[in-house]
Amino acid sequence: TSKGGGAVDVQVINPKANAKGTTTTRMLGRIGRKSSTDAAGNLLSPSAAGAQNVTLSAQSADQANAGFSTASGGLITVTAGSSANADSAPVVTTEIGAGEIVASGDVAIDAIANTDADATADTRSGGVVRVTSFSANASADATVNTTLMDNSFVEAGGTLSVDAKHGVKTQGTPTPVALSDGTFDAASGVNVGANAITFDKPHGLQT
């Protein structure tokens, strides 16, 4: 936040917020035992479950917020070249190494990322001459990986699921809201009398 009241007031503000954490879950050992055969393919020992159900999961919730607000009453006010930048770019990985997982029930292997980035810019002035040039930029770009490495072995007596997801509801996180991409129907979405535009989804802006 910046405030000024001089005859000439020049303000350049560039706040930045980055959320770029790394969350990793690795399974490098053994749960249970897979079956073994001899060179001719004859069964030597059957598989043995090491657990009823197995869940391996890496989850993250990353949020970046950046913003600035300026107020000035100077005769000449210039807010130029200012920008607020928020970037949420986590890396979430679940990896099964060269081990064994044998379960009598279900096996779930997943990586889940939830990201949010918000950037705001607000400038106000009561000066006679006012020049304003500022921007607010927000980006959310998660990398989500679920990997079964070479020589890994997974066997489920029930359901085997392998997922990599971005933007899904998990326990303790709010339900993601799909925002408008900015397009609208010019014929039905514009109300000239109310000076308003209606989008098919929430726009996410504050007034």
Side-chain angles (χ1 to χ4, degrees):
T1 301
S2 175
K3 298 180 180 180
V8 178
D9 187 16
V10 180
Q11 301 173 353
V12 178
I13 308 171
N14 296 296
K16 297 179 180 180
N18 296 310
K20 298 183 178 182
T22 299
T23 304
T24 303
T25 296
R26 287 191 177 98
M27 166 62 187
L28 304 176
R30 186 174 70 181
I31 301 175
R33 184 186 69 249
K34 67 179 180 180
S35 61
S36 62
T37 59
D38 60 19
N42 299 310
L43 180 66
L44 296 177
S45 61
S47 61
Q52 180 176 0
N53 299 307
V54 176
T55 299
L56 295 173
S57 181
Q59 301 183 14
S60 77
D62 299 82
Q63 184 173 16
N65 295 303
F68 68 83
S69 176
T70 68
S72 175
L75 179 64
I76 301 176
T77 301
V78 180
T79 302
S82 296
S83 63
N85 297 283
D87 183 18
S88 181
V91 177
V92 184
T93 302
T94 295
E95 182 179 292
I96 307 299
E100 302 172 12
I101 299 176
V102 180
S104 59
D106 300 334
V107 176
I109 305 167
D110 61 43
I112 300 173
N114 286 289
T115 57
D116 184 41
D118 297 305
T120 59
D122 178 52
T123 179
R124 303 176 185 181
S125 173
V128 177
V129 179
R130 176 183 177 187
V131 179
T132 301
S133 174
F134 61 84
S135 62
N137 307 293
S139 64
D141 184 18
T143 300
V144 190
N145 301 301
T146 298
T147 305
L148 274 66
M149 306 296 290
D150 293 342
N151 301 316
S152 61
F153 180 86
V154 180
E155 179 181 309
T159 301
L160 170 61
S161 59
V162 179
D163 297 293
K165 301 178 180 179
H166 176 234
V168 298
K169 180 174 175 55
T170 59
Q171 184 175 1
T173 63
T175 302
V177 177
L179 298 180
S180 169
D181 62 2
T183 59
F184 60 91
D185 188 330
S188 61
V190 178
N191 187 327
V192 178
N195 194 27
I197 296 175
T198 300
F199 300 96
D200 61 345
K201 296 179 181 178
H203 51 63
L205 303 177
Q206 296 181 352
T207 58

